[in-house]
Amino acid sequence: AQSVTQLGSHVSVSEGALVLLRCNYSSSVPPYLFWYVQYPNQGLQLLLKYTSAATLVKGINGFEAEFKKSETSFHLTKPSAHMSDAAEYFCAVSDGGGSNYKLTFGKGTLLTVNP
Amino acid sequence: NAGVMQNPRHLVRRRGQEARLRCSPMKGHSHVYWYRQLPEEGLKFMVYLQKENIIDESGMPKERFSAEFPKEGPSILRIQQVVRGDSAAYFCASSPEDSYTEAFFGQGTRLTVV
C-alpha cells in the first residue's frame, strides 16, 4: 500500500523567495507521483507528474519537482514565489501497476506568500 | 471544452436525509473517480467507475453509500441517511480511456450535515 507524508502543514515565504514543499512517499512498486494545487473554493489542478521518465519534472507556473528514489522523495520547488502561488498543495502517489488510477494523497501544505 | 462539472457546489442536509451528488465528466472521458476530503485530511479514494460498471469500490463505506455512472447522464454519488460524519468535500475526477494519469478534478461538492 502507498502512503504520502507532506512535511509542514503550513509554509510561509516572502514574495520572490524560494518555495520548497516537501513530500515523501512509500510504495512497494515503482510509483507514479503527482503534485496538485487547490485554490480556495476550487477543484484540484495538476501541477506536474512523474511517470518513470525524466527524474526532474517541470510543471506549470514555474514549478518543478525531482524524483529521488534513494530518498523516496518528490519535493516541489519554485525559484521565486509570486503572490498568486498562495494555495494548498497536495502530493499524491499511485502505483505504476494495475491500479494506477487510485491516487493516495498527502494531507496538504498550505502555502502563504507574504508581500 | 468544459471541465469536470459537479453539482451542487454546496449541499446542506439534515441527519437522516439523502444526499445526491452529481458529476459530469469532461467530454470524451469515460472514467470517473470519486474522492472524499475530510477536514484537515487529504483526499481519500472512494470509487472508480466506467459507463454502467463499477470497477473498484474499495474505498466506499460498506453501508449507506452507493455510486453509479449510467449510460446516459452524470455519475451519481448517493449517501442515504446522512450522519454528521459524512460532512466533507466530495471531489469527482475523470480521465480518458487510455490514460489514467490524465485525471482532471471538478470543483467539488461541500456537504454539510446538520
Side-chain angles (χ1 to χ4, degrees):
Chain A
Q2 291 81 33
S3 68
V4 174
T5 302
Q6 291 184 241
L7 293 174
S9 59
H10 189 188
V11 170
S12 183
V13 301
S14 298
E15 191 174 18
L18 171 71
V19 176
L20 171 60
L21 304 182
R22 298 178 188 274
C23 173
N24 288 88
Y25 69 92
S26 68
S27 177
S28 57
V29 297
Y32 290 175
L33 293 156
F34 306 81
W35 275 99
Y36 284 87
V37 60
Q38 184 180 27
Y39 298 101
N41 298 313
Q42 299 287 320
L44 277 73
Q45 180 181 5
L46 180 65
L47 272 179
L48 49 80
K49 64 182 179 183
Y50 166 78
T51 56
S52 74
T55 56
L56 181 62
V57 181
K58 294 188 184 297
I60 61 171
N61 301 338
F63 284 93
E64 63 181 36
E66 186 172 7
F67 170 63
K68 291 187 177 181
K69 184 178 179 181
S70 61
E71 298 177 9
T72 60
S73 69
F74 191 57
H75 302 329
L76 182 71
T77 60
K78 182 174 179 177
S80 176
H82 192 272
M83 297 295 288
S84 61
D85 295 327
E88 188 149 26
Y89 292 79
F90 292 94
C91 181
V93 64
S94 71
D95 76 49
S99 59
N100 62 3
Y101 52 82
K102 189 186 299 185
L103 296 172
T104 298
F105 283 84
K107 291 187 178 183
T109 297
L110 182 64
L111 176 66
T112 303
V113 181
N114 304 308
Chain B
N1 188 6
V4 178
M5 303 301 293
Q6 290 189 248
N7 67 82
R9 292 288 308 279
H10 301 275
L11 181 62
V12 179
R13 283 287 176 267
R14 296 186 183 281
R15 282 177 293 171
Q17 291 185 319
E18 178 180 288
R20 282 182 172 244
L21 288 61
R22 294 175 185 77
C23 169
S24 296
M26 286 182 70
K27 187 177 181 181
H29 287 193
S30 56
H31 299 214
V32 166
Y33 318 85
W34 286 92
Y35 286 80
R36 177 165 66 173
Q37 184 181 28
L38 293 167
E40 309 296 322
E41 297 284 328
L43 281 73
K44 298 276 195 274
F45 170 83
M46 298 181 76
V47 63
Y48 162 37
L49 309 109
Q50 295 178 16
K51 287 282 187 181
E52 300 184 282
N53 283 305
I54 297 174
I55 307 302
D56 181 348
E57 56 181 347
S58 58
M60 289 277 271
K62 293 288 184 271
E63 298 177 346
R64 302 186 296 107
F65 285 71
S66 62
E68 63 176 6
F69 188 17
K71 186 176 181 181
E72 301 290 339
S75 175
I76 306 287
L77 179 67
R78 181 182 178 206
I79 311 172
Q80 296 178 289
Q81 299 176 306
V82 296
V83 301
R84 288 243 171 91
D86 297 332
S87 294
Y90 292 82
F91 289 93
C92 168
S94 71
S95 68
E97 178 73 35
D98 59 351
S99 180
Y100 299 130
T101 63
E102 296 292 337
F104 292 81
F105 281 79
Q107 293 181 302
T109 294
R110 279 155 181 81
L111 172 66
T112 302
V113 179
V114 298

Short mmCIF file of all heavy atoms in Angstrom, two decimals, chain A residues 32 34 36 38 41-46 49 51 88 90 98-108, chain B residues 9-10 33 35 37 40-43 45 48 55-56 58 91 99-103 105-108 110:
data_model
loop_
_atom_site.label_atom_id
_atom_site.label_comp_id
_atom_site.label_asym_id
_atom_site.label_seq_id
_atom_site.Cartn_x
_atom_site.Cartn_y
_atom_site.Cartn_z
N TYR A 32 3.96 6.27 -9.52
CA TYR A 32 3.72 7.49 -10.25
C TYR A 32 3.49 8.56 -9.18
O TYR A 32 2.83 8.29 -8.17
CB TYR A 32 2.48 7.40 -11.13
CG TYR A 32 2.60 6.50 -12.34
CD1 TYR A 32 1.49 6.26 -13.14
CD2 TYR A 32 3.79 5.89 -12.70
CE1 TYR A 32 1.56 5.44 -14.26
CE2 TYR A 32 3.87 5.08 -13.81
CZ TYR A 32 2.75 4.85 -14.58
OH TYR A 32 2.84 4.04 -15.68
N PHE A 34 2.59 12.78 -8.19
CA PHE A 34 1.86 13.95 -8.69
C PHE A 34 1.90 15.07 -7.65
O PHE A 34 1.95 14.82 -6.44
CB PHE A 34 0.38 13.60 -8.91
CG PHE A 34 0.14 12.41 -9.80
CD1 PHE A 34 0.24 11.13 -9.31
CD2 PHE A 34 -0.20 12.59 -11.13
CE1 PHE A 34 0.02 10.02 -10.12
CE2 PHE A 34 -0.43 11.50 -11.95
CZ PHE A 34 -0.32 10.22 -11.44
N TYR A 36 -0.62 18.42 -6.96
CA TYR A 36 -1.82 19.17 -7.33
C TYR A 36 -1.88 20.45 -6.50
O TYR A 36 -1.39 20.50 -5.37
CB TYR A 36 -3.08 18.35 -7.01
CG TYR A 36 -3.37 17.23 -7.98
CD1 TYR A 36 -2.81 15.97 -7.81
CD2 TYR A 36 -4.21 17.43 -9.08
CE1 TYR A 36 -3.08 14.94 -8.69
CE2 TYR A 36 -4.50 16.41 -9.96
CZ TYR A 36 -3.93 15.16 -9.77
OH TYR A 36 -4.21 14.16 -10.65
N GLN A 38 -4.64 23.45 -5.07
CA GLN A 38 -6.06 23.76 -4.85
C GLN A 38 -6.17 25.19 -4.37
O GLN A 38 -5.75 25.52 -3.26
CB GLN A 38 -6.66 22.80 -3.81
CG GLN A 38 -8.14 22.99 -3.59
CD GLN A 38 -8.70 22.01 -2.57
OE1 GLN A 38 -8.00 21.53 -1.68
NE2 GLN A 38 -9.99 21.70 -2.69
N ASN A 41 -11.86 27.33 -2.69
CA ASN A 41 -13.14 27.00 -3.31
C ASN A 41 -13.02 26.52 -4.76
O ASN A 41 -13.94 26.69 -5.56
CB ASN A 41 -14.09 28.21 -3.26
CG ASN A 41 -14.40 28.60 -1.84
OD1 ASN A 41 -14.71 27.76 -1.01
ND2 ASN A 41 -14.29 29.88 -1.54
N GLN A 42 -11.88 25.95 -5.08
CA GLN A 42 -11.67 25.42 -6.42
C GLN A 42 -11.38 23.92 -6.34
O GLN A 42 -11.14 23.38 -5.25
CB GLN A 42 -10.48 26.10 -7.09
CG GLN A 42 -10.65 27.60 -7.28
CD GLN A 42 -11.64 27.94 -8.37
OE1 GLN A 42 -11.68 27.29 -9.42
NE2 GLN A 42 -12.46 28.94 -8.12
N GLY A 43 -11.42 23.28 -7.48
CA GLY A 43 -11.00 21.88 -7.55
C GLY A 43 -9.50 21.77 -7.59
O GLY A 43 -8.78 22.77 -7.50
N LEU A 44 -9.01 20.57 -7.72
CA LEU A 44 -7.57 20.34 -7.78
C LEU A 44 -7.08 20.46 -9.22
O LEU A 44 -7.70 19.92 -10.14
CB LEU A 44 -7.22 18.94 -7.26
CG LEU A 44 -7.11 18.80 -5.76
CD1 LEU A 44 -8.47 18.85 -5.12
CD2 LEU A 44 -6.40 17.51 -5.39
N GLN A 45 -5.97 21.15 -9.36
CA GLN A 45 -5.37 21.32 -10.68
C GLN A 45 -4.01 20.64 -10.69
O GLN A 45 -3.21 20.84 -9.76
CB GLN A 45 -5.21 22.82 -10.99
CG GLN A 45 -4.60 23.12 -12.34
CD GLN A 45 -4.45 24.60 -12.59
OE1 GLN A 45 -4.72 25.44 -11.72
NE2 GLN A 45 -4.02 24.96 -13.78
N LEU A 46 -3.76 19.84 -11.71
CA LEU A 46 -2.49 19.13 -11.80
C LEU A 46 -1.36 20.11 -12.11
O LEU A 46 -1.42 20.84 -13.10
CB LEU A 46 -2.57 18.06 -12.88
CG LEU A 46 -1.31 17.22 -13.09
CD1 LEU A 46 -1.03 16.37 -11.85
CD2 LEU A 46 -1.46 16.32 -14.31
N LYS A 49 3.61 15.82 -12.98
CA LYS A 49 3.57 14.40 -12.63
C LYS A 49 4.85 13.71 -13.07
O LYS A 49 5.51 14.12 -14.03
CB LYS A 49 2.36 13.73 -13.30
CG LYS A 49 2.42 13.72 -14.82
CD LYS A 49 1.18 13.08 -15.41
CE LYS A 49 1.26 13.11 -16.95
NZ LYS A 49 0.03 12.55 -17.58
N THR A 51 6.11 9.92 -14.17
CA THR A 51 5.62 8.58 -14.54
C THR A 51 6.75 7.75 -15.12
O THR A 51 6.58 7.09 -16.15
CB THR A 51 4.46 8.69 -15.55
OG1 THR A 51 4.90 9.45 -16.68
CG2 THR A 51 3.25 9.34 -14.94
N GLU A 88 -3.28 25.72 -1.48
CA GLU A 88 -2.92 24.47 -0.82
C GLU A 88 -2.38 23.51 -1.86
O GLU A 88 -2.93 23.39 -2.96
CB GLU A 88 -4.12 23.87 -0.09
CG GLU A 88 -3.75 22.67 0.77
CD GLU A 88 -4.63 22.52 1.99
OE1 GLU A 88 -5.79 22.97 1.95
OE2 GLU A 88 -4.16 21.92 3.00
N PHE A 90 -1.03 19.56 -2.76
CA PHE A 90 -1.16 18.17 -2.39
C PHE A 90 -0.21 17.31 -3.23
O PHE A 90 -0.18 17.43 -4.46
CB PHE A 90 -2.59 17.66 -2.62
CG PHE A 90 -3.60 18.25 -1.69
CD1 PHE A 90 -4.33 19.38 -2.06
CD2 PHE A 90 -3.83 17.70 -0.44
CE1 PHE A 90 -5.26 19.94 -1.21
CE2 PHE A 90 -4.78 18.24 0.42
CZ PHE A 90 -5.49 19.37 0.03
N GLY A 98 -1.39 -2.21 -11.98
CA GLY A 98 -2.77 -2.36 -12.42
C GLY A 98 -3.77 -1.40 -11.82
O GLY A 98 -4.82 -1.17 -12.39
N SER A 99 -3.46 -0.84 -10.66
CA SER A 99 -4.42 0.09 -10.05
C SER A 99 -3.84 1.49 -9.99
O SER A 99 -3.99 2.21 -9.01
CB SER A 99 -4.83 -0.38 -8.66
OG SER A 99 -3.71 -0.48 -7.82
N ASN A 100 -3.16 1.89 -11.06
CA ASN A 100 -2.53 3.20 -11.03
C ASN A 100 -3.52 4.34 -11.15
O ASN A 100 -3.13 5.50 -11.13
CB ASN A 100 -1.44 3.31 -12.09
CG ASN A 100 -1.97 3.15 -13.50
OD1 ASN A 100 -3.17 3.02 -13.71
ND2 ASN A 100 -1.09 3.16 -14.47
N TYR A 101 -4.81 4.02 -11.27
CA TYR A 101 -5.81 5.07 -11.28
C TYR A 101 -6.09 5.58 -9.86
O TYR A 101 -6.65 6.64 -9.68
CB TYR A 101 -7.14 4.52 -11.85
CG TYR A 101 -7.59 3.25 -11.17
CD1 TYR A 101 -8.27 3.30 -9.97
CD2 TYR A 101 -7.31 2.02 -11.72
CE1 TYR A 101 -8.66 2.14 -9.32
CE2 TYR A 101 -7.69 0.85 -11.08
CZ TYR A 101 -8.38 0.91 -9.88
OH TYR A 101 -8.76 -0.23 -9.25
N LYS A 102 -5.69 4.82 -8.85
CA LYS A 102 -6.04 5.13 -7.48
C LYS A 102 -4.95 5.98 -6.86
O LYS A 102 -3.85 5.52 -6.62
CB LYS A 102 -6.22 3.84 -6.68
CG LYS A 102 -6.78 4.04 -5.29
CD LYS A 102 -6.78 2.74 -4.51
CE LYS A 102 -7.62 1.67 -5.12
NZ LYS A 102 -7.69 0.47 -4.26
N LEU A 103 -5.27 7.24 -6.60
CA LEU A 103 -4.30 8.15 -6.01
C LEU A 103 -4.40 8.14 -4.49
O LEU A 103 -5.50 8.15 -3.94
CB LEU A 103 -4.54 9.58 -6.51
CG LEU A 103 -4.35 9.81 -8.02
CD1 LEU A 103 -4.80 11.21 -8.40
CD2 LEU A 103 -2.90 9.61 -8.40
N THR A 104 -3.24 8.13 -3.83
CA THR A 104 -3.17 8.32 -2.39
C THR A 104 -2.58 9.70 -2.15
O THR A 104 -1.47 9.99 -2.61
CB THR A 104 -2.29 7.24 -1.74
OG1 THR A 104 -2.88 5.96 -1.98
CG2 THR A 104 -2.19 7.47 -0.23
N PHE A 105 -3.30 10.54 -1.43
CA PHE A 105 -2.90 11.93 -1.24
C PHE A 105 -2.28 12.14 0.14
O PHE A 105 -2.65 11.50 1.12
CB PHE A 105 -4.12 12.85 -1.35
CG PHE A 105 -4.58 13.09 -2.76
CD1 PHE A 105 -5.43 12.20 -3.38
CD2 PHE A 105 -4.18 14.22 -3.45
CE1 PHE A 105 -5.87 12.42 -4.69
CE2 PHE A 105 -4.63 14.47 -4.75
CZ PHE A 105 -5.47 13.56 -5.36
N GLY A 106 -1.37 13.12 0.20
CA GLY A 106 -0.93 13.64 1.48
C GLY A 106 -1.98 14.58 2.05
O GLY A 106 -2.98 14.87 1.39
N LYS A 107 -1.72 15.07 3.26
CA LYS A 107 -2.70 15.92 3.93
C LYS A 107 -2.67 17.35 3.44
O LYS A 107 -3.52 18.15 3.81
CB LYS A 107 -2.48 15.88 5.44
CG LYS A 107 -2.81 14.54 6.07
CD LYS A 107 -2.74 14.60 7.58
CE LYS A 107 -3.14 13.26 8.18
NZ LYS A 107 -3.15 13.31 9.67
N GLY A 108 -1.70 17.68 2.62
CA GLY A 108 -1.65 19.01 2.04
C GLY A 108 -0.74 19.96 2.80
O GLY A 108 -0.51 19.81 4.00
N ARG B 9 -22.67 22.71 -5.73
CA ARG B 9 -21.39 23.06 -5.13
C ARG B 9 -21.46 22.94 -3.61
O ARG B 9 -20.49 22.56 -2.97
CB ARG B 9 -20.98 24.48 -5.51
CG ARG B 9 -20.65 24.68 -6.98
CD ARG B 9 -19.31 24.04 -7.36
NE ARG B 9 -18.23 24.45 -6.48
CZ ARG B 9 -17.56 25.58 -6.58
NH1 ARG B 9 -17.86 26.45 -7.52
NH2 ARG B 9 -16.58 25.86 -5.74
N HIS B 10 -22.59 23.29 -3.08
CA HIS B 10 -22.81 23.20 -1.63
C HIS B 10 -24.15 22.51 -1.40
O HIS B 10 -25.12 22.80 -2.10
CB HIS B 10 -22.82 24.58 -0.97
CG HIS B 10 -21.55 25.35 -1.18
ND1 HIS B 10 -20.46 25.20 -0.35
CD2 HIS B 10 -21.19 26.25 -2.12
CE1 HIS B 10 -19.47 25.99 -0.77
NE2 HIS B 10 -19.90 26.64 -1.85
N TYR B 33 -13.93 8.99 -11.15
CA TYR B 33 -13.43 8.62 -9.83
C TYR B 33 -14.05 9.58 -8.81
O TYR B 33 -14.16 10.77 -9.06
CB TYR B 33 -11.90 8.77 -9.76
CG TYR B 33 -11.17 8.27 -10.98
CD1 TYR B 33 -11.01 9.10 -12.09
CD2 TYR B 33 -10.68 6.98 -11.05
CE1 TYR B 33 -10.35 8.66 -13.23
CE2 TYR B 33 -10.01 6.53 -12.18
CZ TYR B 33 -9.86 7.37 -13.27
OH TYR B 33 -9.22 6.93 -14.40
N TYR B 35 -13.63 10.99 -4.82
CA TYR B 35 -12.75 11.11 -3.65
C TYR B 35 -13.48 11.93 -2.58
O TYR B 35 -14.30 12.79 -2.89
CB TYR B 35 -11.45 11.85 -4.02
CG TYR B 35 -10.47 11.05 -4.82
CD1 TYR B 35 -10.62 10.88 -6.20
CD2 TYR B 35 -9.37 10.45 -4.21
CE1 TYR B 35 -9.72 10.14 -6.93
CE2 TYR B 35 -8.45 9.71 -4.94
CZ TYR B 35 -8.64 9.56 -6.30
OH TYR B 35 -7.73 8.83 -7.03
N GLN B 37 -12.80 14.36 0.89
CA GLN B 37 -11.82 15.12 1.66
C GLN B 37 -12.45 15.53 2.98
O GLN B 37 -13.29 16.43 3.03
CB GLN B 37 -11.35 16.35 0.89
CG GLN B 37 -10.25 17.14 1.59
CD GLN B 37 -9.85 18.38 0.80
OE1 GLN B 37 -10.62 18.96 0.05
NE2 GLN B 37 -8.60 18.81 0.96
N GLU B 40 -9.04 18.73 7.44
CA GLU B 40 -7.65 18.52 7.85
C GLU B 40 -7.04 17.23 7.27
O GLU B 40 -6.02 16.75 7.76
CB GLU B 40 -7.52 18.47 9.38
CG GLU B 40 -8.18 19.63 10.11
CD GLU B 40 -7.55 20.96 9.80
OE1 GLU B 40 -6.31 21.02 9.65
OE2 GLU B 40 -8.28 21.96 9.67
N GLU B 41 -7.67 16.67 6.27
CA GLU B 41 -7.16 15.43 5.68
C GLU B 41 -6.93 15.60 4.19
O GLU B 41 -7.46 16.52 3.57
CB GLU B 41 -8.18 14.30 5.88
CG GLU B 41 -8.43 13.92 7.34
CD GLU B 41 -7.30 13.12 7.91
OE1 GLU B 41 -6.66 12.37 7.17
OE2 GLU B 41 -7.05 13.26 9.12
N GLY B 42 -6.13 14.71 3.63
CA GLY B 42 -6.01 14.67 2.18
C GLY B 42 -7.21 13.95 1.59
O GLY B 42 -8.06 13.43 2.28
N LEU B 43 -7.26 13.95 0.27
CA LEU B 43 -8.35 13.26 -0.40
C LEU B 43 -8.19 11.75 -0.28
O LEU B 43 -7.07 11.22 -0.37
CB LEU B 43 -8.38 13.63 -1.89
CG LEU B 43 -8.99 14.97 -2.25
CD1 LEU B 43 -8.09 16.12 -1.87
CD2 LEU B 43 -9.31 15.01 -3.74
N PHE B 45 -9.55 8.07 -1.82
CA PHE B 45 -10.23 7.40 -2.92
C PHE B 45 -11.48 6.68 -2.41
O PHE B 45 -11.46 6.02 -1.37
CB PHE B 45 -9.28 6.40 -3.56
CG PHE B 45 -9.93 5.48 -4.56
CD1 PHE B 45 -10.13 5.88 -5.87
CD2 PHE B 45 -10.33 4.20 -4.19
CE1 PHE B 45 -10.72 5.03 -6.80
CE2 PHE B 45 -10.91 3.34 -5.11
CZ PHE B 45 -11.11 3.76 -6.41
N TYR B 48 -14.19 3.94 -8.39
CA TYR B 48 -13.81 4.16 -9.78
C TYR B 48 -14.87 3.50 -10.65
O TYR B 48 -15.19 2.31 -10.47
CB TYR B 48 -12.43 3.57 -10.01
CG TYR B 48 -12.01 3.33 -11.46
CD1 TYR B 48 -12.38 4.18 -12.49
CD2 TYR B 48 -11.21 2.22 -11.77
CE1 TYR B 48 -11.97 3.93 -13.79
CE2 TYR B 48 -10.80 1.98 -13.07
CZ TYR B 48 -11.19 2.83 -14.07
OH TYR B 48 -10.77 2.59 -15.36
N ILE B 55 -15.80 -0.37 -11.24
CA ILE B 55 -14.55 -1.09 -11.43
C ILE B 55 -13.88 -1.38 -10.08
O ILE B 55 -13.36 -2.47 -9.85
CB ILE B 55 -13.58 -0.31 -12.32
CG1 ILE B 55 -14.25 0.08 -13.65
CG2 ILE B 55 -12.30 -1.11 -12.56
CD1 ILE B 55 -14.76 -1.11 -14.44
N ASP B 56 -13.89 -0.38 -9.20
CA ASP B 56 -13.22 -0.53 -7.90
C ASP B 56 -13.96 0.32 -6.89
O ASP B 56 -13.97 1.54 -7.03
CB ASP B 56 -11.75 -0.09 -8.03
CG ASP B 56 -10.95 -0.24 -6.74
OD1 ASP B 56 -11.55 -0.46 -5.65
OD2 ASP B 56 -9.72 -0.10 -6.79
N SER B 58 -13.38 -0.10 -3.50
CA SER B 58 -12.69 -0.48 -2.27
C SER B 58 -12.65 0.63 -1.23
O SER B 58 -12.46 0.37 -0.05
CB SER B 58 -11.26 -0.94 -2.58
OG SER B 58 -10.55 0.10 -3.23
N PHE B 91 -15.04 15.13 -4.17
CA PHE B 91 -14.50 15.51 -5.46
C PHE B 91 -14.66 14.38 -6.46
O PHE B 91 -14.47 13.20 -6.14
CB PHE B 91 -13.01 15.86 -5.35
CG PHE B 91 -12.75 17.16 -4.64
CD1 PHE B 91 -12.51 17.18 -3.28
CD2 PHE B 91 -12.74 18.35 -5.35
CE1 PHE B 91 -12.28 18.38 -2.62
CE2 PHE B 91 -12.51 19.55 -4.70
CZ PHE B 91 -12.28 19.56 -3.34
N SER B 99 -5.66 6.81 -20.52
CA SER B 99 -4.65 7.46 -19.69
C SER B 99 -5.19 7.78 -18.31
O SER B 99 -5.77 8.84 -18.09
CB SER B 99 -4.14 8.74 -20.36
OG SER B 99 -3.16 9.35 -19.54
N TYR B 100 -4.95 6.88 -17.39
CA TYR B 100 -5.36 7.14 -16.01
C TYR B 100 -4.66 8.35 -15.43
O TYR B 100 -5.20 9.03 -14.56
CB TYR B 100 -5.02 5.94 -15.12
CG TYR B 100 -5.68 4.64 -15.49
CD1 TYR B 100 -4.95 3.48 -15.62
CD2 TYR B 100 -7.06 4.57 -15.68
CE1 TYR B 100 -5.55 2.28 -15.93
CE2 TYR B 100 -7.67 3.37 -15.99
CZ TYR B 100 -6.91 2.23 -16.11
OH TYR B 100 -7.51 1.04 -16.42
N THR B 101 -3.46 8.62 -15.89
CA THR B 101 -2.68 9.70 -15.27
C THR B 101 -3.14 11.08 -15.72
O THR B 101 -2.63 12.08 -15.23
CB THR B 101 -1.18 9.55 -15.58
OG1 THR B 101 -0.98 9.67 -16.98
CG2 THR B 101 -0.66 8.21 -15.08
N GLU B 102 -4.08 11.14 -16.64
CA GLU B 102 -4.57 12.44 -17.10
C GLU B 102 -5.91 12.75 -16.45
O GLU B 102 -6.86 13.16 -17.09
CB GLU B 102 -4.75 12.43 -18.62
CG GLU B 102 -3.45 12.25 -19.40
CD GLU B 102 -2.54 13.45 -19.27
OE1 GLU B 102 -3.05 14.56 -18.97
OE2 GLU B 102 -1.32 13.29 -19.45
N ALA B 103 -6.00 12.53 -15.15
CA ALA B 103 -7.26 12.78 -14.46
C ALA B 103 -7.44 14.27 -14.15
O ALA B 103 -6.51 14.92 -13.69
CB ALA B 103 -7.31 11.98 -13.15
N PHE B 105 -9.89 17.08 -12.09
CA PHE B 105 -10.81 17.14 -10.97
C PHE B 105 -11.84 18.24 -11.14
O PHE B 105 -11.53 19.31 -11.70
CB PHE B 105 -10.05 17.38 -9.67
CG PHE B 105 -9.39 16.15 -9.12
CD1 PHE B 105 -8.19 15.69 -9.64
CD2 PHE B 105 -9.97 15.44 -8.07
CE1 PHE B 105 -7.58 14.54 -9.14
CE2 PHE B 105 -9.38 14.30 -7.56
CZ PHE B 105 -8.19 13.85 -8.10
N GLY B 106 -13.03 18.00 -10.63
CA GLY B 106 -14.04 19.03 -10.54
C GLY B 106 -13.82 19.90 -9.31
O GLY B 106 -12.87 19.71 -8.56
N GLN B 107 -14.72 20.88 -9.12
CA GLN B 107 -14.58 21.83 -8.02
C GLN B 107 -15.09 21.28 -6.70
O GLN B 107 -14.90 21.91 -5.67
CB GLN B 107 -15.32 23.13 -8.37
CG GLN B 107 -14.67 23.88 -9.53
CD GLN B 107 -15.39 25.16 -9.84
OE1 GLN B 107 -16.59 25.15 -10.15
NE2 GLN B 107 -14.70 26.28 -9.76
N GLY B 108 -15.73 20.13 -6.75
CA GLY B 108 -16.16 19.51 -5.51
C GLY B 108 -17.56 19.93 -5.08
O GLY B 108 -18.08 20.97 -5.47
N ARG B 110 -19.44 20.45 -1.44
CA ARG B 110 -19.23 20.51 0.00
C ARG B 110 -20.54 20.17 0.70
O ARG B 110 -21.50 20.93 0.64
CB ARG B 110 -18.71 21.89 0.42
CG ARG B 110 -17.22 21.97 0.18
CD ARG B 110 -16.69 23.37 -0.02
NE ARG B 110 -15.25 23.35 -0.25
CZ ARG B 110 -14.67 23.08 -1.43
NH1 ARG B 110 -15.41 22.84 -2.48
NH2 ARG B 110 -13.36 23.07 -1.55
#
